[in-house]
């Protein structure tokens, strides 16, 4: 199936809702920094508010994802987006409020829509035929990378050119538009069978290696984004190159997502693809730490970006294979929380390391952390594969015995019929 066949009215409506719903999420951390930067200790306060926002996302995503009703998710998604809109609008209306009030509003802004990305992904895969799922998720990845590439420029332009509160107010409006847009989409997605809460939790826990690999992938993104300015200063390269280099990484990721969706299947299983691609991205980020010039750093970052999106896509497709349909939205939400946690942990580690080691060493330490997570995820994936093989064998043996018994019974019945026929002839 080609990308052109995704240009249907439901998918286009989904794309519009996704832009309105996810652009505020991409704008939030930087917008919070600009909101309070002119206050005393503004940058430190902005970092605290951004941390409160991310904590709200990480904590709420799995909780809300588990509570989603797959067949009638619209009211829950609308409520979450409305809470987010209220938090963003409140921040824009009272930027001079007490830091505790601002932190509470930032927490609401992060927690309210936390389940929306996972739910929208599950809804997208229900809007297209099974054979087009890879292309649909590749298209989603390109759209998201485009959103994240546009968000910093939009925030910076509005905050510096108009007013620091304007980005927050725009985020509130966008979230409100996403609420209205939900009524252009189906109320939920079809599922083969409803699972109870206990079975859903067991399925989610069983998929933990995929979440670990997701966290590993985002540690690399955090290293590229957060340490790059300091690395450029270490190399004697103008810090102004940081934005262009990161834009190259994002463009490479969008191209990689497009290329991955051109084929329905790539060599190797999805878990193997994810492992190999994450290791390749880690190698590219490690090269960034040792290359001497901006040109070579750009090449390494673009190459890493080309592989980053396919690695993420392979993880999400592997998760889709592993979970039952009733647990997909919850699984995507847990993945969203896991990658957010990976980004936050890597960012915190990088910030601490920069106080005691050179930026290049900090990047290599972060790559080492990624390698450890990849090893843990690989061991877990191997255990899952063995469990599935054992379960398939356990299910196969009874069927084989039953088939043998039926075959023996058929032969016995046939033999009896043949004997009876012979007796009748003799008579």
């Amino acid at each position: 199936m080609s990308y052109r066949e995704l240009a249907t009215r439901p998918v286009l409506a989904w794309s519009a809702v996704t832009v309105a719903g996810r652009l505020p999420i991409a704008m939030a951390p930087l917008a919070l920094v600009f909101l309070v930067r002119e206050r005393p200790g503004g940058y430190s306060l902005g970092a605290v508010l951004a941390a409160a926002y991310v904590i709200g996302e990480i904590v709420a995503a799995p909780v809300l994802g588990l509570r989603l009703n797959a067949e009638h998710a619209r009211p829950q998604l609308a409520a979450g987006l409305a809470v987010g809109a209220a938090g963003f609008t409140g921040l824009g209306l009272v930027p001079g409020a007490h830091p505790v009030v601002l932190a509470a509003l930032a927490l609401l802004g992060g927690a309210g829509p936390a389940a929306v990305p996972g739910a929208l992904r599950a809804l997208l895969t229900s809007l297209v035929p099974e054979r087009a799922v890879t292309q649909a998720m590749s298209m989603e990845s390109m759209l998201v990378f485009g959103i994240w590439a546009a968000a910093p420029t939009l925030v910076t332009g509005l905050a510096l050119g108009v007013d620091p509160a304007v980005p927050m107010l725009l985020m509130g409006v966008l979230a409100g538009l996403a609420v209205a847009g939900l009524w252009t989409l189906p109320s939920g997605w079809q599922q083969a069978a409803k699972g109870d809460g206990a079975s859903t939790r067991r399925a989610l826990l069983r998929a933990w290696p995929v979440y670990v690999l997701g966290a590993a992938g985002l540690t690399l993104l955090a290293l590229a984004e957060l340490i790059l300015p300091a690395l450029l200063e270490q190399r004697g390269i103008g810090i102004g190159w940081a934005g262009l280099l990161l834009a190259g990484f994002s463009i490479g990721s969008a191209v990689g997502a497009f290329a991955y969706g051109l084929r329905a299947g790539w060599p190797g299983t999805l878990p193997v693809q994810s492992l190999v691609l994450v290791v390749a991205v880690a190698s590219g980020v490690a090269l960034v730490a040792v290359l001497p010039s901006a040109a070579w750093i750009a090449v390494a970052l673009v190459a890493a970006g080309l592989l980053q999106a396919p690695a993420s896509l392979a993880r999400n497709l592997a998760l889709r294979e592993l979970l039952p349909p009733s647990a997909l939205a919850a699984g995507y939400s847990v993945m969203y929380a896991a990658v957010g946690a990976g980004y936050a942990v890597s960012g915190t580690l990088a910030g601490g390391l920069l106080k005691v080691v050179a930026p290049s060493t900090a990047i290599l330490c972060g790559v080492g952390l990624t390698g450890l997570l990849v090893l843990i995820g690989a061991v877990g994936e191997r255990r899952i594969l063995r469990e599935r093989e054992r379960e398939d064998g356990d299910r196969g043996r009874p069927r084989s015995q039953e088939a043998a018994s039926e075959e023996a019974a058929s032969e016995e019945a046939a033999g009896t019929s043949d004997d009876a026929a012979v007796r009748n002839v003799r008579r």
Side-chain angles (χ1 to χ4, degrees):
M1 182 173 182
S2 68
Y3 282 108
R4 184 180 301 175
E5 294 180 75
L6 294 177
T8 63
R9 180 175 294 180
V11 174
L12 293 176
W14 176 91
S15 300
V17 173
T18 297
V19 170
R22 298 200 67 170
L23 186 54
I25 294 173
M27 294 170 63
L30 185 59
L32 287 166
V33 172
F34 274 106
L35 183 70
V36 296
R37 74 184 184 93
E38 295 181 358
R39 295 173 57 162
Y43 284 109
S44 297
L45 176 57
V48 170
L49 295 180
Y53 174 83
V54 172
I55 289 171
E57 285 189 305
I58 293 172
V59 172
V63 175
L64 296 178
L66 277 169
R67 296 178 178 275
L68 278 175
N69 181 341
E71 293 179 330
H72 304 287
R74 182 189 292 152
Q76 293 162 284
L77 298 180
L81 285 167
V83 170
F88 298 141
T89 304
L91 286 163
L93 292 177
V94 290
H98 191 278
V100 173
V101 175
L102 297 180
L105 291 171
L107 191 71
L108 280 178
V116 171
L120 287 177
R121 179 175 297 146
L123 181 58
L124 172 64
T125 56
S126 74
L127 296 175
V128 299
E130 183 67 25
R131 62 192 173 91
V133 167
T134 299
Q135 286 79 11
M137 295 183 73
S138 296
M139 181 271 294
E140 181 208 20
S141 184
M142 289 186 284
L143 186 63
V144 170
F145 275 112
I147 290 170
W148 281 89
T153 303
L154 185 59
V155 169
T156 303
L158 291 174
L160 298 180
V162 186
D163 187 270
V166 170
M168 303 304 307
L169 296 174
L170 175 61
M171 290 156 57
V173 171
L174 288 170
L177 290 174
V179 172
L182 288 174
W183 268 260
T184 66
L185 301 174
S187 61
W189 51 92
Q190 295 295 323
Q191 55 186 37
K194 292 183 180 179
D196 58 26
S199 64
T200 298
R201 284 191 290 272
R202 283 195 299 270
L204 293 175
L205 289 173
R206 187 184 184 190
W208 66 265
V210 186
Y211 309 137
V212 172
L213 289 175
L218 261 288
T219 61
L220 296 170
L221 182 58
L223 292 173
E225 289 186 345
L226 302 178
I227 304 184
L228 183 61
L231 178 70
L232 294 179
E233 287 189 344
Q234 179 189 358
R235 294 280 186 267
I237 302 170
I239 197 172
W241 284 98
L244 290 174
L245 292 172
L246 291 175
F249 182 91
S250 297
I251 293 170
S253 297
V255 173
F258 177 80
Y260 189 83
L262 290 176
R263 291 184 56 177
W266 290 86
T269 63
L270 290 170
V272 170
Q273 290 178 23
S274 180
L275 281 170
V276 171
L277 289 167
V278 170
V279 171
V281 176
S283 301
V285 174
L287 283 174
V288 169
V290 299
L291 291 172
S293 68
W296 284 112
I297 291 174
V299 171
L301 280 175
V302 170
L306 280 169
L307 301 175
Q308 171 73 16
S312 176
L313 286 166
R315 286 193 302 272
N316 285 318
L317 289 168
L319 185 64
R320 188 172 183 271
E321 281 190 351
L322 193 59
L323 295 178
S326 58
L328 276 179
Y332 292 142
S333 295
V334 173
M335 175 69 84
Y336 186 74
V339 299
Y343 190 99
V345 169
S346 182
T348 303
L349 175 65
L353 287 173
L354 284 176
K355 297 179 180 179
V356 294
V357 300
S360 56
T361 304
I363 289 179
L364 294 176
C365 290
V367 171
L369 171 63
T370 299
L372 177 62
L373 292 175
V374 168
L375 179 62
I376 294 171
V379 172
E381 289 278 12
R382 182 61 183 165
R383 288 184 60 185
I384 290 176
L385 179 60
R386 289 176 178 174
E387 289 175 2
R388 295 178 73 174
E389 290 175 348
R390 185 167 59 250
E391 289 173 0
D392 290 342
D394 291 341
R395 286 195 297 268
R397 280 193 293 271
R399 285 197 298 268
S400 300
Q401 293 170 1
E402 184 180 351
S405 300
E406 290 177 355
E407 183 178 353
S410 299
E411 290 177 354
E412 183 178 353
T416 303
S417 299
D418 291 342
D419 291 342
V422 170
R423 285 195 297 271
N424 287 334
V425 169
R426 285 176 179 174
R427 288 193 187 100

